[in-house]
Amino acid sequence: MIIAVSGLPADYERTLSHLAAQYVKDAEVQMDADSPIDGLKVRFTEKRRLDQVYVSATARAEGFEDTASFQKPVIEANMHSKVGKQTAAHVFVKLLTSWTGKTQPWGTLTGIRPTKLYHQMYRSGLSHSDIKKTLKDDYLISDEKIAMLERIVKRQLEVLPDLYEIKKGVSIYIGIPFCPTMCAYCTFPAYAINGKNGSVSEFLNGLYYEMEQTGAWLKEHNIPVTTIYFGGGTPTSIEAEEMDALYSQMHKVFPDLNQVREVTVEAGRPDTISAEKLAVLNKWNIDRISINPQSFHNETLRAIGRHHSVEETVDKYELAVRHGVDNINMDLIIGLPNEGVPEMKHNLSETKKLDPASLTVHTLSFKRASTMTKQKDKYNVAGPEEIQQMMDLTNQWTDENEYEPYYLYRQKNILGNLENVGYAKAGKESLYNMIIMEEVQTIIGLGCGAASKWVDPVSEKITRMANPKDPISYIERYEEYTHRKIDTLNELFRPITP
Ligand code: SF4
């Protein structure tokens, strides 16, 4: 379906395309196109004054015509373009709503971090009620989503009262790129152990080098580490002795582990967990692990290629509890193939029996490179209404079971245009998840596929750098990447001269 737009700068296309896709499947926005035979034509007028941007538009399609307008103040000089885009998005969403009869809960927001927008407004001095009014009137976000954002931001500030000041420290992400088998929805670096993509020991050699160099730099410059997160892949897919040596290296090379507030190890795949590995996690005082069911239906696990059973998830969870691990996160995914409301009810009631400290609820997204997306026709997934019902059910269930939402993010191509939400019992929130989501601190990425996110402690400008995703390229180039990181750290944390 073509949506022909005129009267706006060409660089608005991305935002408008993103919004249109939420209302009309396969929508194609064409800027300055001729009137389509079958589609919608939107003619915009944008007027920029010194302190205001005014946008109006008329939309026409067969049997439909409507007009909308909106005006926004420009607070900072040179912000006309950004404000213009937001104002046009507002008008566009109103017209799409009246044309399709659909409303979208996230209104004009196309970004993946709505809570970050809330934090920005809060830091600028707006009260919660002013922020909520802006989110509703300007961004056209639903009351329900606004209430969720407020709840999350307040929770984050309770759990991490220094959230806005931790930019002077860093967190560390360590990517272990191995998994027993590849899940159909996955796009993370996940390679077979000792397969043709490089051996674990060669990879660990490179990782040790990165850890050593980075740790030495942090010690020398007296930069504190707030959290450390082992992800992947599945960090528990390597042998117990390799894990033991890795955590020993962490203690040896990173500055003062006693001051690190949280160390997490994703043990996502239950088929990688053993009593021996749990003993290693305990030995090194790992604070938090994840054991991820994704679904409590064996047929679903088979369909998505997880190669473990529900019974194994339960057994390994109970084994971890018996080993004294008291902060276990579980991930569930809404909208997996052949799952609807009854299956979600079952997933939640089985989760309740285990009572994990935190629960992360993802909504399935069709990531471009995943097997599931490449073979989309093979999978039968629920429609947007049922996805919404599953999300509502989950929200109600988490409320009833004393889980509080504490972080949220959206993704492209996510079913029902919804979101992923982390819930936790009081005191069991993942600090790392909040830090990465709100982009308040530099995260140094070490290992395969690890993305470093640099947050300038003065300007708060964000830049990124990613390590090679596959083990062979990583093994060939880890020294070069390490030196690039050290150069960036030198630049970021340079002494400030008056
Ligand atoms: S366990 Fe996680 S990282 Fe590994 S293939 Fe599955 S989704 Fe990807």
Side-chain angles (χ1 to χ4, degrees):
M1 168 76 70
I2 293 171
I3 299 179
V5 168
S6 58
L8 290 179
D11 67 337
Y12 285 25
E13 182 181 349
R14 207 159 153 252
T15 305
L16 300 187
S17 296
H18 199 105
L19 291 169
Q22 295 171 8
Y23 288 84
V24 185
K25 202 168 162 240
D26 303 324
E28 188 190 326
V29 170
Q30 293 183 357
M31 305 298 280
D32 282 322
D34 289 337
S35 178
I37 301 155
D38 175 22
L40 182 74
K41 187 174 183 182
V42 191
R43 186 179 292 274
F44 280 88
T45 314
E46 186 192 275
K47 289 185 189 145
R48 296 182 182 189
R49 299 201 187 89
L50 211 54
D51 60 345
Q52 295 282 333
V53 173
Y54 175 81
V55 173
S56 69
T58 300
R60 287 191 187 91
E62 204 184 324
F64 171 82
E65 180 168 337
D66 198 8
T67 301
S69 61
F70 193 57
Q71 183 165 334
K72 248 175 122 86
V74 181
I75 295 159
E76 283 175 53
N78 305 324
M79 291 291 279
H80 276 83
S81 173
K82 192 165 179 230
V83 175
K85 217 177 265 182
Q86 282 168 13
T87 312
H90 180 109
V91 170
F92 195 51
V93 162
K94 275 186 179 161
L95 292 172
L96 287 170
T97 303
S98 88
W99 181 44
T100 60
K102 291 184 198 166
T103 46
Q104 290 294 350
W106 288 107
T108 66
L109 277 198
T110 54
I112 62 169
R113 296 184 170 78
T115 42
K116 194 174 168 192
L117 175 67
Y118 197 115
H119 277 294
Q120 275 166 355
M121 290 195 260
Y122 188 61
R123 289 179 76 183
S124 77
L126 290 185
S127 66
H128 287 294
S129 59
D130 287 343
I131 295 169
K132 287 190 281 183
K133 189 169 176 344
T134 306
L135 292 175
K136 188 179 168 80
D137 296 347
D138 286 17
Y139 291 90
L140 304 172
I141 300 175
S142 74
D143 290 339
E144 191 203 355
K145 298 296 176 205
I146 293 172
M148 174 77 111
L149 293 181
E150 182 185 21
R151 210 167 146 185
I152 290 175
V153 165
K154 286 183 170 171
R155 183 63 156 204
Q156 290 183 339
L157 291 170
E158 264 168 44
V159 176
L160 258 177
D162 56 348
L163 187 74
Y164 302 149
E165 280 94 53
I166 53 174
K167 57 192 174 189
K168 295 185 192 102
V170 297
S171 283
I172 296 173
Y173 174 86
I174 297 177
I176 312 286
F178 302 104
C179 278
T181 55
M182 187 79 177
C183 305
Y185 54 87
C186 180
T187 51
F188 296 111
Y191 297 88
I193 292 271
N194 292 332
K196 59 182 179 343
N197 283 296
S199 75
V200 174
S201 62
E202 282 177 295
F203 161 74
L204 287 174
N205 274 344
L207 178 59
Y208 279 21
Y209 177 83
E210 278 205 286
M211 289 169 76
E212 210 170 272
Q213 297 291 317
T214 312
W217 188 92
L218 292 170
K219 282 179 182 169
E220 188 190 333
H221 293 81
N222 213 11
I223 304 286
V225 178
T226 311
T227 65
I228 300 172
Y229 192 100
F230 289 86
T234 305
T236 43
S237 59
I238 58 177
E239 298 296 329
E241 304 77 50
E242 291 164 333
M243 286 167 55
D244 188 41
L246 179 58
Y247 307 144
S248 161
Q249 172 80 348
M250 165 178 81
H251 276 260
K252 193 168 116 201
V253 300
F254 289 158
D256 198 359
L257 259 280
N258 291 326
Q259 298 300 316
V260 175
R261 298 190 211 175
E262 174 189 275
V263 182
T264 300
V265 173
E266 277 183 13
R269 286 273 290 258
D271 43 344
T272 63
I273 300 171
S274 65
E276 215 183 343
K277 292 181 189 176
L278 287 164
V280 173
L281 295 171
N282 262 345
K283 173 180 167 188
W284 295 103
N285 298 320
I286 301 302
D287 299 298
R288 188 175 173 273
I289 69 169
S290 297
I291 300 176
N292 296 332
Q294 313 299 15
S295 163
F296 282 92
H297 293 270
N298 279 325
E299 310 81 73
T300 310
L301 295 178
R302 269 194 295 278
I304 61 173
R306 288 259 319 167
H307 290 260
H308 65 81
S309 64
V310 170
E311 295 69 29
E312 192 168 14
T313 308
V314 174
D315 286 352
K316 295 299 172 59
Y317 180 89
E318 288 172 347
L319 185 68
V321 172
R322 282 201 299 281
H323 272 78
V325 184
D326 69 349
N327 192 349
I328 305 177
N329 174 72
M330 291 196 131
D331 277 10
L332 288 178
I333 301 178
I334 290 179
L336 285 173
N338 304 320
E339 294 210 351
V341 169
E343 288 75 20
M344 195 63 204
K345 280 188 180 158
H346 175 76
N347 289 338
L348 292 169
S349 71
E350 292 304 297
T351 305
K352 186 172 174 140
K353 290 182 194 161
L354 301 176
D355 196 30
S358 61
L359 181 70
T360 310
V361 182
H362 299 266
T363 308
L364 185 67
S365 80
F366 281 91
K367 294 176 191 156
R368 220 165 3 124
S370 73
T371 309
M372 200 176 269
T373 306
K374 286 178 197 149
Q375 303 170 359
K376 210 170 175 178
D377 296 344
K378 265 178 56 186
Y379 296 95
N380 170 31
V381 295
E385 275 173 29
E386 193 165 17
I387 295 286
Q388 181 65 59
Q389 286 168 15
M390 288 191 257
M391 178 62 94
D392 294 344
L393 188 71
T394 308
N395 282 334
Q396 189 190 340
W397 183 90
T398 47
D399 271 346
E400 286 166 5
N401 290 279
E402 295 173 359
Y403 290 94
E404 187 68 16
Y406 75 100
Y407 79 99
L408 174 152
Y409 67 101
R410 303 173 66 213
Q411 271 172 302
K412 271 198 185 152
N413 304 323
I414 194 164
L415 287 181
N417 185 26
L418 291 174
E419 60 274 336
N420 303 318
V421 183
Y423 300 86
K425 302 245 167 127
K428 300 294 186 187
E429 300 83 1
S430 154
L431 307 183
Y432 176 85
N433 284 338
M434 290 189 267
I435 290 170
I436 190 162
M437 223 37 80
E438 305 314 331
E439 301 187 306
V440 287
Q441 183 185 62
T442 285
I443 294 179
I444 306 174
L446 311 177
C448 261
S452 297
K453 188 184 285 183
W454 312 112
V455 180
D456 188 303
V458 179
S459 68
E460 297 186 14
K461 185 170 171 252
I462 294 167
T463 45
R464 293 174 174 80
M465 176 194 295
N467 271 4
K469 201 169 173 184
D470 69 288
I472 288 188
S473 311
Y474 176 78
I475 290 160
E476 281 168 2
R477 300 181 63 188
Y478 64 82
E479 285 186 58
E480 169 199 335
Y481 277 84
T482 308
H483 295 143
R484 279 170 57 187
K485 269 178 258 196
I486 299 290
D487 288 347
T488 309
L489 284 168
N490 278 325
E491 181 60 26
L492 267 190
F493 291 92
R494 65 199 172 278
I496 299 159
T497 41

